Amino acid sequence: MTHSHHGHHHVHTNNKKALLLALLLIFTLVLAEVIGALVTNSLALLADATHMLSDFFAIGLALLAFKIGERGSSRSKTFGYKRFEILAALTNGVLLIGISIFVIGQAIQRFFAPPDVAGAGVLLVAGIALMINLLIAWILMRGGDVKENLNLRGAFLHVLGDILSTIGVLIAALLILLFNWTLADPIVSMMVSLIILTTGFRITKDSVHVLMEGKPPLISLQHVETQLKALQHVKSVHDLHLWSITSDFPSLSCHLVVEDGINRDQLLKNATQMLKEDFHISHTAIQIESESYLCTTGC
């Protein structure tokens, strides 16, 4: 248990460090893109800088969520503030959806009135922005738990959106620079926005699923029930509930109907050990009851 807690704390610390470094790089990039947009009179770069600014706030919120999540439990909040991470992830998802809808609206307007873009200047600034964004993505993947932690994944998806957006600006700048094709800007913006919209819906859906106490997607409820029933002396399982406190904190509660006269402490130990080893569920609440008890409550 101590080793598991130490490992979780180590990953949690790495997540915070990765987010803090990403936050500093994004702030630098926002300043560079705003200056570049003013110098080149580029609306595309200014829009990308606005996107980056939203990511600055989103990742800042994710970092704040990890910090608040460290606060201990209390009598009013018995699980502490761990779910603040999910609320932050939900906010990030909604923000992605809002940004993508806004950019789609702007792209539609540009189909009718394509703006002038200083291609060479935009190409230079967007190239630098792409390299910094790739560095930020690498930092989050290398230093953080992007796969398992929903909050960090939300921040990572923001950065992926930045990378796609910057690539779109680069492509648009090249087409305008080489062929003077001004419609490239709204077309690329529309394509990038649809991708961002999809990721925004996905992270929002995952967050709502956790808040609605849905089953962790990587754990089969049927498999858990089968394994519990397979334990020696267990007759049946009922009131089985499986949910997540936060993205990497699955919890389980259930009632085990058992044979009379057995060693209940040993059975409870076997059940909790099996759930931890086979399904990585460390937080469990298991009620053991005999068939005779079940009959007295409505057999």
Side-chain angles (χ1 to χ4, degrees):
M1 180 66 73
T2 304
H3 176 75
S4 174
H5 175 76
H6 176 75
H8 177 77
H9 176 74
H10 179 69
V11 171
H12 194 77
T13 302
N14 285 347
N15 287 341
K16 289 193 298 179
K17 288 180 179 178
L19 283 174
L20 181 60
L21 186 53
L23 197 65
L24 294 173
L25 287 171
I26 287 176
F27 181 72
T28 303
L29 185 53
V30 169
L31 289 179
E33 286 200 323
V34 168
I35 293 172
L38 294 175
V39 171
T40 62
N41 195 30
S42 168
L43 291 175
L45 267 182
L46 192 60
D48 197 50
T50 304
H51 187 194
M52 291 296 301
L53 185 62
S54 73
D55 288 353
F56 175 79
F57 287 115
I59 292 180
L61 182 62
L63 185 61
L64 179 64
F66 279 120
K67 191 65 180 175
I68 292 177
E70 292 176 349
R71 295 173 63 178
S73 59
S74 64
R75 290 187 178 274
S76 62
K77 294 179 178 60
T78 56
F79 280 106
Y81 292 80
K82 296 184 184 299
R83 268 212 175 156
F84 193 86
E85 293 183 13
I86 304 301
L87 292 175
L90 177 63
T91 303
N92 285 353
V94 172
L95 198 59
L96 279 173
I97 293 172
I99 291 169
S100 59
I101 291 174
F102 171 77
V103 174
I104 287 172
Q106 293 296 308
I108 292 173
Q109 293 182 24
R110 291 183 182 186
F111 276 114
F112 301 100
D116 293 329
V117 178
V122 173
L123 202 62
L124 175 63
V125 178
I128 295 172
L130 179 61
M131 287 188 290
I132 295 177
N133 274 322
L134 288 171
L135 176 61
I136 294 170
W138 181 82
I139 289 170
L140 291 179
M141 288 186 67
R142 181 86 173 180
D145 188 19
V146 171
K147 185 177 180 180
E148 296 294 335
N149 189 278
L150 188 57
N151 184 39
L152 193 71
R153 198 193 324 164
F156 180 69
L157 287 174
H158 272 279
V159 176
L160 289 186
D162 291 335
I163 292 173
L164 291 173
S165 177
T166 307
I167 290 174
V169 174
L170 277 169
I171 293 172
L174 279 171
L175 291 173
I176 292 170
L177 190 64
L178 296 176
F179 307 106
N180 196 31
W181 190 40
T182 53
L183 283 177
D185 184 77
I187 290 173
V188 170
S189 298
M190 183 75 76
M191 292 172 61
V192 171
S193 298
L194 289 174
I195 294 173
I196 298 172
L197 186 64
T198 302
T199 58
F201 273 121
R202 185 180 300 119
I203 197 69
T204 301
K205 178 184 175 184
D206 290 346
S207 302
V208 170
H209 183 73
V210 173
L211 292 174
M212 291 296 293
E213 299 192 341
K215 179 188 71 66
L218 298 181
I219 303 177
S220 168
L221 188 65
Q222 184 177 359
H223 191 200
V224 170
E225 184 174 6
T226 300
Q227 292 292 88
L228 286 171
K229 287 180 179 178
L231 292 172
Q232 191 175 13
H233 306 303
V234 173
K235 305 289 288 185
S236 64
V237 179
H238 66 98
D239 288 336
L240 175 60
H241 300 283
L242 181 59
W243 72 101
S244 296
I245 302 302
T246 187
S247 55
D248 50 1
F249 191 166
S251 298
L252 176 144
S253 68
C254 70
H255 292 222
L256 299 182
V257 180
V258 301
E259 300 170 358
D260 291 329
I262 67 163
N263 187 335
R264 296 191 175 196
D265 289 341
Q266 185 60 49
L267 176 59
L268 182 60
K269 180 180 178 181
N270 293 342
T272 53
Q273 185 175 349
M274 181 274 293
L275 290 169
K276 184 176 181 179
E277 292 178 355
D278 293 356
F279 302 100
H280 306 290
I281 303 173
S282 298
H283 186 271
T284 57
I286 302 174
Q287 179 171 322
I288 297 178
E289 53 199 31
S290 64
E291 289 183 292
S292 56
Y293 171 80
L294 194 63
C295 286
T296 62
T297 59
C299 182

